[in-house]
């Protein structure tokens, strides 16, 4: 077969696989969004007809749009989104009406109104929705005729739509514990892989594998930031939704746990980077490399147990086992016990201690535990484990 034909066949195959993967992901997203789409549709139409039939507003599009914006698929807390829509709409109308009175209507006036509205919105608040609403309302006041109910009828419509969104959020909420559990399990699974790659780098004396672990850990930061933002929304639902208010303490515990897991992932990045340097510089003896690889691998297994506990499977036994395993590893983290003598190798152990503090604190925050006692686990008799400064 000619080479050009083979190349074309390979491109067609790659394109087919890409389309298949994208189609599969799209179908999965659509399936997971059915309930949210149904709620958004009902709230948008309900807010529209409420403003039209009860308040007598003509074409209250802002009631429907504000409901959709407030119930959107972002991870921001919904109460904040509702306030941004309502307040941004009101201020935008006031600013637009005031500038229209001073400047009159026209193209250059509209451009100036939008420019000043955006600057004012950024001065008042950093919210993206707030800025968008304020600028949009100012522009519409300048370009569109005033509705029969007056310019501020649109602001009332936006508030109505936001109220419908809040009612749907608090009366028909999703379980605020489910998504944080899944997120924590995923992040801990990635942390397990990072630690296993670090252990493999030591076992095979391969700095490239340590760099791979560093890249994997770095790739999780944006994901963790999004998850922590989503947890704020879960805490908000647990506080305000009567159905799930009894789970508020549990959800807040998950938020604290995610913070500690975030610290642990950051510490693993520092460890992987230093580990690659130590391997390249031959800073570890054969015995030290073997012992350190062993404790890193055992730590990965303990993190795996922690992930199982967080996910709800065998919570008590898994958490206890993970906590005990981490404590047993912590008492071994002394360069002398690991047969590490060179300063660069001792630095690796010190950084690993920092990661261990994060993991011990995470295990201590788990189900049925208190706060802060994990940092008191001794490394050797009379020597406290290294405690990282507060970030």
């Amino acid at each position: 077969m000619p080479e050009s034909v083979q190349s074309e066949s390979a491109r067609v195959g790659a394109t087919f696989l890409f389309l298949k993967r994208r189609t599969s992901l799209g179908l999965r997203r659509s399936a997971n969004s059915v309930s949210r789409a149904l709620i958004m549709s009902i709230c948008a139409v309900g807010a529209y007809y409420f403003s039209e039939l009860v308040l007598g507003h003509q074409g209250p599009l802002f009631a429907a749009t504000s409901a959709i914006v407030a119930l959107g698929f972002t991870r921001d807390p919904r109460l904040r989104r509702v306030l941004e829509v309502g307040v941004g709409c009101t201020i935008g109308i006031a600013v637009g009406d005031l500038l229209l009175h001073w400047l009159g209507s026209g193209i250059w006036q509209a451009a100036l109104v939008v420019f000043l509205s955006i600057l004012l919105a950024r001065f008042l608040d950093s919210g993206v929705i707030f800025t968008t609403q304020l600028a949009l309302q100012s522009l519409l006041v300048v370009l569109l005729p005033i509705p029969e109910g007056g310019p501020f009828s649109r602001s009332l419509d936006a508030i109505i739509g936001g109220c419908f969104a809040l009612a749907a959020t608090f009366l028909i909420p999703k379980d605020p514990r489910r998504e944080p559990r899944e997120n924590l399990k995923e992040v801990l699974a990635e942390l397990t892989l990072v630690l296993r790659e670090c252990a493999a780098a030591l076992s095979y004396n391969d700095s490239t594998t340590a760099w791979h672990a560093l890249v994997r850990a770095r790739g999780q930061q944006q994901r963790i930031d999004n998850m922590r933002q989503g947890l704020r929304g879960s805490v908000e639902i647990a506080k305000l939704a009567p159905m799930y208010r009894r789970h508020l303490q549990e959800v807040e515990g998950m938020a604290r746990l995610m913070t500690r897991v975030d610290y642990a992932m950051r510490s693993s990045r520092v460890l992987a980077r230093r580990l690659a340097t130590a391997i390249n510089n031959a800073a570890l003896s054969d015995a030290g490399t073997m012992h350190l690889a062993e404790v890193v691998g055992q730590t990965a297994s303990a993190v795996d147990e922690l992930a199982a506990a967080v996910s709800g499977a065998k919570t008590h036994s898994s958490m206890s086992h993970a906590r005990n395993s981490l404590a047993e590893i912590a008492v071994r983290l002394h360069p002398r016990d690991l047969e590490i003598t060179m300063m660069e190798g001792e630095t690796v152990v010190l950084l690993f201690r920092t990661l261990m503090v994060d993991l011990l604190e995470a295990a201590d925050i788990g189900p049925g535990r208190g706060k802060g006692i994990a940092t008191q686990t001794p490394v050797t008799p009379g020597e406290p484990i290294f405690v990282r400064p507060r970030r």
Side-chain angles (χ1 to χ4, degrees):
M1 183 180 294
E3 184 177 346
S4 59
V5 175
Q6 290 181 347
S7 177
E8 183 65 25
S9 177
R11 282 198 295 268
V12 171
T15 302
F16 175 77
L17 289 176
F18 172 78
L19 293 175
K20 182 179 179 181
R21 190 180 304 113
R22 293 289 297 180
T23 302
S24 177
L25 290 174
L27 290 174
R28 191 182 310 158
R29 282 197 302 268
S30 298
N32 294 335
S33 304
V34 169
S35 59
R36 178 72 67 85
L38 181 61
I39 293 174
M40 290 171 66
S41 302
I42 293 174
C43 285
V45 175
Y48 181 93
Y49 280 105
F50 181 89
S51 293
E52 185 177 57
L53 299 178
V54 177
L55 302 181
H57 295 175
Q58 296 297 318
L61 293 177
F62 289 99
T65 56
S66 65
I68 292 175
V69 170
L71 285 171
F73 289 93
T74 65
R75 294 176 178 268
D76 296 324
R78 295 179 189 175
L79 182 58
R80 176 182 174 87
R81 292 208 302 270
V82 170
L83 292 176
E84 285 182 348
V85 171
V87 175
C89 184
T90 303
I91 296 178
I93 290 171
V95 170
D97 198 40
L98 185 62
L99 293 177
L100 178 65
H101 177 72
W102 285 347
L103 303 176
S105 59
I107 298 298
W108 72 267
Q109 290 94 333
L112 181 60
V113 166
V114 173
F115 176 74
L116 295 176
S117 299
I118 292 175
L119 294 183
L120 176 62
R122 299 304 295 173
F123 172 77
L124 295 175
D125 191 80
S126 61
V128 176
I129 296 177
F130 179 77
T131 301
T132 303
Q133 284 296 318
L134 200 156
L136 178 61
Q137 298 307 318
S138 300
L139 178 63
L140 292 178
V141 166
V142 175
L143 297 181
L144 298 181
I146 298 176
E148 294 182 1
F152 286 95
S153 63
R154 286 191 286 240
S155 177
L156 182 58
D157 290 338
I159 294 173
I160 292 298
C163 290
F164 268 75
L166 283 179
T169 298
F170 301 139
L171 298 179
I172 320 174
K174 62 178 181 180
D175 190 338
R177 301 168 297 169
R178 185 180 63 182
E179 186 174 355
R181 279 177 180 166
E182 294 175 354
N183 291 339
L184 282 166
K185 182 180 178 182
E186 291 174 6
V187 174
L188 287 170
E190 289 295 326
L191 181 57
T192 299
L193 293 176
V194 170
L195 292 173
R196 293 198 191 283
E197 287 186 333
C198 288
L202 287 165
S203 299
Y204 296 102
N205 197 33
D206 182 11
S207 62
T208 302
T209 304
W211 283 112
H212 289 168
L214 174 60
V215 171
R216 179 185 292 276
R218 281 177 174 170
Q220 297 303 309
Q221 192 56 54
Q222 182 62 47
R223 184 183 188 182
I224 291 174
D225 292 341
N226 291 337
M227 290 175 178
R228 292 184 67 175
Q229 188 176 4
L231 263 166
R232 289 198 291 271
S234 296
V235 171
E236 180 184 281
I237 292 175
K239 283 181 178 178
L240 301 177
M243 187 184 305
Y244 292 109
R245 195 169 298 159
R246 66 184 185 276
H247 300 306
L248 174 60
Q249 186 175 1
E250 182 179 356
V251 176
E252 289 177 337
M254 291 182 185
R256 293 193 297 271
L257 177 56
M258 179 62 82
T259 299
R260 297 302 175 187
V261 172
D262 183 11
Y263 291 169
M265 188 65 77
R266 294 172 187 266
S267 297
S268 73
R269 297 204 303 258
V270 180
L271 174 65
R273 183 167 58 247
R274 178 57 61 184
L275 192 60
T277 303
I279 292 173
N280 284 332
N281 295 337
L284 300 171
S285 64
D286 291 341
T289 299
M290 181 185 66
H291 293 319
L292 191 56
E294 181 182 358
V295 295
V296 173
Q298 290 173 352
T299 304
S301 299
V303 173
D304 217 12
E305 288 280 348
L306 185 59
V310 167
S311 66
K314 303 179 181 179
T315 301
H316 181 72
S317 60
S318 296
M319 184 63 72
S320 297
H321 190 272
R323 190 180 300 116
N324 293 336
S325 298
L326 290 169
E328 291 173 2
I329 296 168
V331 300
R332 299 170 56 190
L333 293 184
H334 194 286
R336 182 178 59 250
D337 297 337
L338 297 175
E339 299 186 47
I340 294 174
T341 55
M342 295 180 64
M343 182 176 294
E344 191 169 355
E346 291 177 352
T347 302
V348 174
V349 177
L350 180 62
L351 294 174
F352 191 50
R353 283 181 170 187
T354 305
L355 173 60
M356 185 58 63
V357 171
D358 297 323
L359 294 175
L360 284 168
E361 289 181 337
D364 191 54
I365 292 173
R369 298 293 294 184
K371 297 182 188 177
I373 63 173
T375 55
Q376 299 171 7
T377 303
V379 178
T380 58
E383 179 184 357
I385 192 169
F386 174 80
V387 179
R388 173 188 11 83
R390 292 292 178 186
R391 303 188 185 189

